[in-house]
Every structure is written in structure tokens, then in C-alpha cells.
Amino acid sequence: MNKGALALLVHGGTENWSPERWKRRFEEVCSDRRVLQLPGAPFDPAEIHYAAVWKPAAGELAAFPNLRVIFNLGAGVDALMADSSLPKVPLVRVAVGDLTQRMTEYVVLHVLMHHRQEPYLRSSQREKRWAPKFQWPASAISVGIMGLGTLGANAAQALRQLGFRVSGWSRSRKVIDGIDCFHGAAQLEAFLQASDILVCLLPLTRDTRHILNRGLFAKLNYSSPMGAPVLINAGRGGLQNEADILACLDDGTLGAASLDVFANEPLAANSPFWTHPKIVLTPHNAADTDADEISKYVARQIERFEAGGALENVVDPTRGY
Ligand code: NDP
Ligand code: OXD
């Protein structure tokens, strides 16, 4: 019997999202079914049973009448949730050790960078200035992580191991050894008051859009050895009010920021974020999606699904993540 085809719709544009590379990987791991790189390949829409996607155009997936499962090739599904014609079939997101480990590296790197005053030390080096400042220990710093899901919980534990005091905030109640867990709107203020470095790993949903704004920054802790609090956002650009971030860095409400994500990507050449002295900027590569690992993850899920097993990491459309 002919197995349903897998349509590959990858519209990322960057090196990591090369559609050809994804196609080669899927042809290896799904060698018993047709893998169609779209648009371009000739095909009958009825033969598509599975779609593996990154940023498909709105309406593109609605063209497949026999679609059974959509696999988003990244962790965040906000782009898909915005498509009102998205077929009502299970949508699976990425949650794999490789991606989680990469995000934890990013979070640890940037927390340590601010904690160990790296921006100051690099400028001292450029100016040949031998002027060490007092360095406090990790245990003097509280890191608050917004989003205690797959990525946030792992980063929290790695930071805890380094000796930081770590707290986290989620929608539902959590219990994680060594981490102070807060949840829901009612506990947000207490969570913020305990945070010297705020790390955001939330998904972008209607509840979280622009949650990173002046009102929220003003509730962070100002009495740590670092002085003004630091923001690290690797969730989504839509989580942040960008004008507020710039104004808060300028007036001292925020001491510094590491930003991996932006409302409009790629960031425009004339964006003030590029040159702001208090911003450490990366081009949405906190955790790259690895085609080898993720194609195997999708192939395993299809195999299990066809054998009657349950899909993993299925998005709840009512929550939006
Ligand atoms: P998960 O779905 O596993 O975790 C999301 C967390 O956010 C959960 O703890 C959830 O709470 C919490 N949350 C969601 N909505 C709210 C809310 N309204 N109030 C409080 N907490 C909330 O996602 P991941 O950890 O896998 O990924 C998080 C995000 O990271 C992705 O959506 C994506 O946008 C971003 N990302 C960025 C990458 C990059 O390279 N920059 C790479 C990969 C992902 P609860 O546990 O109660 O459900
Ligand atoms: C993302 C990802 O969601 O790359 O940003 O997985």
C-alpha cells in the first residue's frame, strides 16, 4: 500500500532553514514515503498526509484535504496559530533534548555575561584599562525565568547548579527541586520582585503579547549588587514592547538587555537595537533547530501514530502553545 506523502514547507530564509537540507534529511529518515518540497514539486494535494513546516504562508496547509498531522519544525507555534484557516488536525511542536540543551547554553552564557560584567571588561580591554570592579558571587544574584516549560525548566536547573538563586513563573503550578516556583497572574508581582536578571522563555500568545513592558520592568528588584535589573529575551519578539525596552535602558529602569528575538525579523539595518551600548544582540539563534535531530523526531512520531500510538507535544489550540 502507498504511504501518504510528507509535504515539506520551510520558508525560513536563513542558512539553518535551508529547505534542501531538510528534504535530504527527511528522505533518509522517511525513506518509504514521498517527501515533497513545496512549493515547486508536482503533486496531488490528496496524497499529503503529513506536513513538516516552518513559517508556512497563511492558507497553505488548508489545501491538503487528507492531512492528518502538522509537525512544526520549531518549538514556537505562534506563526501557525495566526493562520485562521489552519486545518483542525493535531499540531505537534518540537521538544527535543538537542534544542533544549542549545537554549540552556544561550541562557547560561548571557546570565554569566551580565553577572560577570563582561560588557564592562571588554570595553576595559579595548581601552587598555586595568580596573577590575568588585565581583559578587552567583549566590548573590536571583534569576527569574518566565516560562517553566521544556526550555525554561532546563535552563533553571543549569543556573541553579552554578549557584544562582533561581525562580520561575508559569501558567500552572509547578514543583521543581531547588527552584522557587510562582504561577498565574496573582503571583507575577512577587516573582518579579525577587528577580535581578529576568529571562523570558514564554511562548507568544494572546495572553503574553507585549508582556515585557515598562510596568513589568519597574517591578523587578533594584537592590541587587547589579543595581538595575537585566532583561534576557529568547522567547519571541512579540513578547516585548520594543519602545519601552529602549526607553527603560536609557533612563536606567533596565541596566542591560540580551535580545535574541524581535518583532520584525530580520532586524532592519536602521534599528536602534543594533548599536545600543546596553544591548547584546543575537539574530534569533539562541537555539538553532537541527535538521538531523528534528527529522528523526518527526519520523518517530509518524511511525508511532501509524501504529496507533499517541503523538507527543501536541499544541493546545485554546491555550495557543
Ligand atoms: P513550553 O510550551 O514547553 O513552555 C512554555 C511555558 O510558558 C510553560 O511553563 C507555560 O506554563 C508558560 N506560559 C505560557 N503562557 C503563560 C502565561 N500566560 N502565563 C504564565 N506562563 C505561561 O515551551 P518551550 O519551553 O518549549 O518554548 C518556549 C518558547 O521559546 C517557544 O514558544 C518559542 O517562542 C521560544 N523559542 C525560541 C527559540 C530561539 O532560538 N530564540 C528556540 C526555541 C523556542 P505551563 O507550564 O503552566 O503551561
Ligand atoms: C523557535 C525554534 O521556535 O527555533 O524559535 O524552535
Side-chain angles (χ1 to χ4, degrees):
M1 195 185 70
N2 238 357
K3 289 199 164 185
L6 173 83
L8 190 55
L9 296 150
V10 174
H11 303 326
T14 58
E15 187 186 350
N16 196 44
W17 290 104
S18 148
E20 293 73 26
R21 176 157 166 254
W22 283 93
K23 179 158 188 287
R24 279 196 302 277
R25 294 303 297 132
F26 272 113
E27 279 173 342
E28 275 177 51
V29 296
C30 298
S31 56
D32 54 349
R33 73 179 74 240
R34 264 190 99 195
V35 177
L36 296 154
Q37 185 184 320
L38 301 179
F43 75 109
D44 168 6
E47 71 180 301
I48 306 293
H49 286 186
Y50 304 100
V53 306
W54 183 243
K55 297 188 180 163
E60 233 177 336
L61 289 162
F64 310 138
N66 297 321
L67 192 62
R68 294 185 184 165
V69 186
I70 302 168
F71 294 95
N72 187 49
L73 295 176
V77 294
D78 42 293
L80 288 167
M81 290 291 103
D83 179 357
S84 58
S85 68
L86 194 72
K88 295 196 179 355
V89 298
L91 166 60
V92 172
R93 65 184 204 91
V94 165
V96 296
D98 174 78
L99 187 88
T100 303
Q101 185 56 34
R102 289 166 189 252
M103 183 58 88
T104 293
E105 284 175 9
Y106 169 89
V107 173
V108 168
L109 173 70
H110 285 260
V111 166
L112 284 176
M113 188 187 305
H114 295 290
H115 157 61
R116 293 299 301 246
Q117 309 176 84
E118 271 295 307
Y120 167 77
L121 292 170
R122 287 313 111 230
S123 72
S124 298
Q125 182 182 352
R126 276 193 301 276
E127 292 160 20
K128 301 184 179 164
R129 193 159 30 90
W130 189 274
K133 282 189 185 179
F134 169 71
Q135 180 60 57
W136 51 85
S139 59
I141 298 298
S142 296
V143 184
I145 304 192
M146 298 182 89
L148 273 183
T150 309
L151 303 180
N154 195 265
Q157 279 159 326
L159 291 168
R160 185 76 200 92
Q161 289 236 322
L162 287 172
F164 291 98
R165 297 189 299 235
V166 185
S167 56
W169 182 69
S170 52
R171 218 167 60 105
S172 57
R173 187 169 172 273
K174 300 261 180 284
V175 180
I176 307 176
D177 199 28
I179 313 297
D180 276 343
C181 295
F182 297 81
H183 69 279
Q187 294 185 4
L188 178 58
E189 193 157 336
F191 160 77
L192 295 170
Q193 280 167 358
S195 301
D196 308 329
I197 299 180
L198 183 71
V199 177
C200 184
L201 288 174
L202 287 170
L204 176 60
T205 68
R206 62 174 176 271
D207 296 329
T208 61
R209 183 171 292 279
H210 291 171
I211 192 168
L212 301 174
N213 59 43
R214 177 180 283 281
L216 180 137
F217 303 143
K219 294 183 179 127
L220 293 165
N221 184 31
Y222 284 82
S223 58
S224 83
M226 303 181 70
V230 168
L231 168 69
I232 299 175
N233 183 18
R236 279 290 182 268
L239 296 162
Q240 64 203 14
N241 179 324
E242 299 195 335
D244 278 8
I245 292 181
L246 291 166
C248 287
L249 287 168
D250 289 341
D251 70 16
T253 305
L254 288 174
S258 284
L259 302 176
D260 183 60
V261 286
F262 299 90
N264 294 308
E265 297 176 4
L267 194 62
N270 65 356
S271 166
F273 284 118
W274 287 113
T275 48
H276 198 290
K278 294 184 179 171
I279 291 180
V280 183
L281 184 156
T282 46
H284 196 147
N285 76 335
D288 265 353
T289 299
D290 181 66
D292 292 357
E293 199 64 28
I294 310 288
S295 54
K296 282 189 237 157
Y297 165 79
V298 171
R300 271 197 309 274
Q301 291 241 35
I302 293 178
E303 207 172 299
R304 199 179 318 121
F305 177 73
E306 293 198 333
L311 294 164
E312 288 172 357
N313 305 310
V314 177
V315 170
D316 176 349
T318 58
R319 293 188 320 186
Y321 69 99

